[in-house]
Amino acid sequence: MSFVSHVECTICGHRHDAKQRLAVCEQCGQMLAVRYDLEGVRAAVSKDALRQRPPGMYRFRELTPLDDGEIPVTLGEGGTPLLALPRLAAHFGLRQLWGKDEGQNPTGSFKARGLGMAITKARTLGARGFIIPSAGNAGGAAAVYAARCGLPCAVIVPRATPPAAVAEAAIAGARVFTIDGTIATAGKVVARVAPEIGWFDLSTLKEPYRLEGKKTMGLELAEQLDWTPPDWLLYPTGGGTGLVGIPKGYDELRAMGWVSGLGPRYVAVQGEGCAPVVDAFRAGAETTTPVENPAMVASGLRVPSPFAGRQMLTILRDSGGDAIAVSERAVAEAQRLLARLEGLWTSPEGAALVAALGSMKDRAQLPADARVVIMLTGSGIKYSPPELPTPMDLAGTPQDVHSQVIAALSRA
Ligand SMILES: *Cc1c(COP(=O)(O)O)cnc(C)c1O
């Protein structure tokens, strides 16, 4: 049974019928969000009943937009572990630090949640193909879920997109285009092409369902922390689907009486080379200003003009949160630190959060007993490898090789 009541504009409140294919608010052009009959959800499901269900994104079916009997297009997304990070915690003088390892999703990033949900709904509502502007991972995920349901897909990415994400889209049969510029440049092309060819435009937050997929990170987190929100939640911010989606999940659970108390305080983390949300937050602005010539190795954070800028800033301020920009160098160091201390090779976007923890600690923002969660949004394996010690070449007779290994290891 579906508990969706309607789809509502996040700015002007205009109501839309959820039975039609929707993009942005038909009144004011702003971002839409799905609303639920939360009383009904509360009456239909208990925490105990939830505990019996298999893991994964659709465990929270009543809080998803799935219709009665609607079968999702799925590859098993969600259900990612919340890993305690005791050695990293000690490094920062903390006692309670967790990382949600979204790199374990299909496609190696949390984009699987959002695109899986968006494509499920668009297909049900009659989409015949998909087109998406992307910084990399979203395009790969769109292509994969389009393949999974047998529909065509086109992806437009900036020239400098990590090759693995491009390959992921191409091997799934998508038509991939690269363009000079950023995801914003690609977005303009998509906005014109989509109506002409009749394919569905999957641009970030320009349809209401990707957000519902990303929201499931918040629902899972709430359950994994036994319904007590963390004090701080750090999120690597590009288009902001998670930064808007996770609070939406917590708000719905709070309205159902499933979580109590305050929190989390949300922290948007961006790279110094492209930090529109951080800049606007610091300036006290209501919305973001487009960044000229954005630069950042963490491609997911190279979003110069996020559509949901206003909504993100409201969430940061209302939660008593913060916004932090980190340097490229700090990200590279943090990526190695996390791998060395905890064995997690996370994407540069996730590593940016580890760098931000360093800044928060320097500013004495984090007492030792603070409960902190970092959203490790993707796997490092999808990016060009960072600079690392080169492997040692072994050569010669078996005895030579033996001595080379022993000599090298006894120096360690
Ligand atoms: C897309 C992406 C981000 C940014 O996410 P938004 O929801 O667009 O803010 C962060 N990390 C990774 C790995 C991504 O692919």
Side-chain angles (χ1 to χ4, degrees), residues 29 37 90 105 111 135 166-167 177 180 194 237 241 274 300 326 344 361 401:
D37 163 18
N105 274 297
K111 292 293 194 300
V166 173
F177 304 90
D180 277 327
T237 305
T241 55
C274 183
V326 294
L344 276 165
K361 188 197 161 200
V401 165

Side-chain angles (χ1 to χ4, degrees), residues 109-111 137 214 235-242 300-301 347 349 377-378 383:
S109 94
F110 71 164
K111 292 293 194 300
N137 285 332
K214 292 291 186 78
Y235 184 81
T237 305
T241 55
L301 307 187
S347 67
E349 293 87 350
T377 46
Y383 297 71

Side-chain angles (χ1 to χ4, degrees), residues 14-91:
H14 183 72
R15 291 166 78 108
H16 301 66
D17 178 2
K19 297 271 179 295
Q20 48 176 333
R21 234 180 308 157
L22 293 166
V24 294
C25 176
E26 61 192 22
Q27 292 279 327
C28 73
Q30 284 280 348
M31 185 196 131
L32 296 176
V34 181
R35 302 295 176 214
Y36 297 85
D37 163 18
L38 295 172
E39 272 303 313
V41 176
R42 179 157 70 164
V45 55
S46 67
K47 289 179 182 175
D48 278 338
L50 188 68
R51 222 166 278 135
Q52 314 301 319
R53 296 184 183 176
M57 182 160 92
Y58 295 101
R59 172 185 181 79
F60 302 93
R61 184 167 179 123
E62 291 84 351
L63 287 175
T64 73
L66 288 195
D67 280 332
D68 220 6
E70 186 175 0
I71 296 168
V73 184
T74 178
L75 290 159
E77 52 290 339
T80 59
L82 183 68
L83 301 170
L85 304 174
R87 282 157 51 79
L88 188 70
H91 178 85

Side-chain angles (χ1 to χ4, degrees), residues 69-404:
E70 186 175 0
I71 296 168
V73 184
T74 178
L75 290 159
E77 52 290 339
T80 59
L82 183 68
L83 301 170
L85 304 174
R87 282 157 51 79
L88 188 70
H91 178 85
F92 290 119
L94 291 168
R95 287 195 290 271
Q96 305 181 87
L97 174 64
W98 296 271
K100 190 145 171 69
D101 187 10
E102 290 292 302
Q104 295 194 32
N105 274 297
T107 77
S109 94
F110 71 164
K111 292 293 194 300
R113 295 180 189 262
L115 273 310
M117 191 75 85
I119 285 184
T120 293
K121 292 309 297 178
R123 178 188 65 159
T124 300
L125 295 168
R128 287 180 294 115
F130 302 98
I131 181 162
I132 184 168
S134 167
N137 285 332
V144 162
Y145 287 93
R148 186 81 170 146
C149 65
L151 288 172
C153 184
V155 176
I156 309 186
V157 294
R159 222 74 93 192
T161 298
V166 173
E168 176 179 49
I171 199 170
R175 190 64 201 262
V176 186
F177 304 90
T178 73
I179 194 166
D180 277 327
T182 66
I183 187 173
T185 331
K188 289 192 187 116
V189 180
V190 167
R192 289 192 59 184
V193 169
E196 207 169 310
I197 56 171
W199 286 8
F200 191 72
D201 178 351
L202 285 169
S203 296
T204 312
L205 299 176
K206 293 193 174 165
E207 55 73 45
Y209 299 112
R210 202 201 292 196
L211 185 65
E212 295 305 294
K214 292 291 186 78
K215 179 184 87 179
T216 61
M217 288 190 289
L219 302 177
E220 284 178 17
L221 182 61
E223 188 183 18
Q224 286 169 317
L225 287 177
D226 208 16
W227 313 107
T228 307
D231 298 311
W232 293 94
L233 186 144
L234 280 65
Y235 184 81
T237 305
T241 55
L243 189 54
V244 179
I246 295 168
K248 186 174 190 289
Y250 268 107
D251 287 349
E252 290 172 358
L253 293 172
R254 196 168 275 123
M256 287 167 57
W258 280 30
V259 297
S260 52
L262 289 176
R265 303 166 78 172
Y266 296 95
V267 181
V269 178
Q270 302 196 294
E272 282 174 353
C274 183
V277 175
V278 179
D279 294 344
F281 183 82
R282 297 247 171 268
E286 206 174 299
T287 189
T288 52
T289 309
V291 171
E292 307 283 337
N293 306 318
M296 191 66 203
V297 167
S299 46
L301 307 187
R302 218 186 290 137
V303 180
S305 179
F307 180 54
R310 270 174 82 157
Q311 288 86 347
M312 286 190 265
L313 288 160
T314 302
I315 284 162
L316 297 176
R317 293 197 177 112
D318 288 357
S319 72
D322 204 349
I324 296 174
V326 294
S327 73
E328 209 73 80
R329 220 185 95 200
V331 171
E333 276 168 17
Q335 193 183 30
R336 288 191 295 263
L337 182 73
L338 180 60
R340 216 166 48 235
L341 291 181
E342 302 286 3
L344 276 165
W345 183 8
T346 198
S347 67
E349 293 87 350
L353 306 182
V354 176
L357 282 177
S359 326
M360 290 178 80
K361 188 197 161 200
D362 292 345
R363 287 192 235 146
Q365 260 178 317
L366 293 177
D369 61 351
R371 298 165 75 241
V372 182
V373 170
I374 55 178
M375 300 302 295
L376 301 172
T377 46
S379 161
I381 292 173
K382 286 192 80 183
Y383 297 71
S384 305
E387 267 178 51
L388 295 165
T390 43
M392 179 174 165
D393 292 331
L394 302 171
T397 66
Q399 184 52 45
D400 291 342
V401 165
H402 174 88
S403 329
Q404 286 157 20

